[in-house]
Amino acid sequence: MKISVLGCGRWGSFIAWYQATVLKNKVINWGPQGDYSYEILKNTGKNDYVTLDKSIELTCDLQHAVTASDIIIISISSQGLRGFMQKITAYDVKDKTFVLCMKGIEVNTGKRLSEVLIESGIDKNKIAVWVGPGHIQAFTQGIPNCMLIDSYSDGLKKELAHAFKSNLIRFYYGTDIIGSEIGAAAKNVLGIAAGVLDGSGYVSLKGPLMARGAYEVGKLIKALGGEFGSAYGLAHLGDYETTLFSEYSHNRSYGELMAKGIKFDKLAEGVMTAKAMKELGDKYGVELPITNAVYEGCFLANPFEGGNGAKACMDVILKLFDRETKSEFYI
């Protein structure tokens, strides 16, 4: 099997490593020329996470990467996907299978990432999403985990789940692509909230955060046409350990450092996802108190986004205690 992985950052380079080293597939790993992540791999063959197998073809030629393989895995920043697809669809990709190994919601439209591909002209039955928990640092030490493949096509998700499985990653195939995508994106928002709790010394609130967060996300998934219970699967609740507790979580680290008044200089997808989810909640009439608190913390209280300072981030979360008393599982 020949696989092209588009993106050579943290997850892109890991996927290339996994496909070549563990699954023994022929792999092309693409990155933009001049980009730091690409240049470090080109010059050294490794980064902070993986050492690429010598069989991996590293390239900055996008046309070659998208035409030479039947399966194209994309792992880039979610907010750049639509523009990236304009470049990809300039080539003949009608028979290609696309796998999105990225988590987010397009902030300008509220669209799920698979919807962005469909609107870019890709057949929805040729699209899959690869989500779920796992630390790259653990995987490369041989520590296994479980992940999820979902798709509009039952045949495609089963085919990919079987093709990608190994002793390192046990794949399940999902039953709700709406829930899988929204759940995967939303867990990053909860990760920021968890980081704020860590940075403010309120760690014991992480239990309620998990319980209320999953319930809140389930309500949004249902409003968008998905299954409420998807919020309790691998894409969302199953990914909480890696996102709400791990030292490796970018979103948790973002929240922790924000609460301490320190700027986090890496990508935290949950920031823009919080904005997108808030707008979806407003549009569909779904109450999302935790999401709205994260949005307010990131965009209104965040000292690095023109807000009033670090303490204000925790003040936003504590305001949730002033809300009207309700049944735990109110609709």
Side-chain angles (χ1 to χ4, degrees), residues 49-66:
Y49 309 101
V50 296
T51 297
L52 292 186
D53 189 279
K54 294 187 182 301
S55 68
I56 295 173
E57 179 185 351
L58 193 64
T59 183
C60 58
D61 184 340
L62 184 60
Q63 181 176 7
H64 171 62
V66 300

Side-chain angles (χ1 to χ4, degrees), residues 99-113:
V99 182
L100 295 170
C101 192
M102 44 198 293
K103 302 166 182 177
I105 301 169
E106 189 175 49
V107 70
N108 292 331
T109 65
K111 299 289 186 179
R112 291 176 286 112
L113 301 185

Side-chain angles (χ1 to χ4, degrees), residues 186-208:
K187 61 96 183 178
N188 287 332
V189 178
L190 274 294
I192 292 175
V196 172
L197 296 179
D198 286 339
S200 304
Y202 287 79
V203 179
S204 62
L205 277 177
K206 283 174 133 179

Side-chain angles (χ1 to χ4, degrees), residues 15-26:
I15 296 162
W17 174 89
Y18 176 75
Q19 291 286 342
T21 305
V22 179
L23 299 182
K24 307 301 180 184
N25 288 322
K26 295 180 179 179

Side-chain angles (χ1 to χ4, degrees), residues 192-232:
I192 292 175
V196 172
L197 296 179
D198 286 339
S200 304
Y202 287 79
V203 179
S204 62
L205 277 177
K206 283 174 133 179
L209 172 66
M210 291 188 288
R212 301 309 304 160
Y215 184 70
E216 176 176 309
V217 171
K219 290 198 300 177
L220 179 61
I221 290 171
K222 183 178 179 180
L224 295 175
E227 301 171 10
F228 175 87
S230 294
Y232 294 88

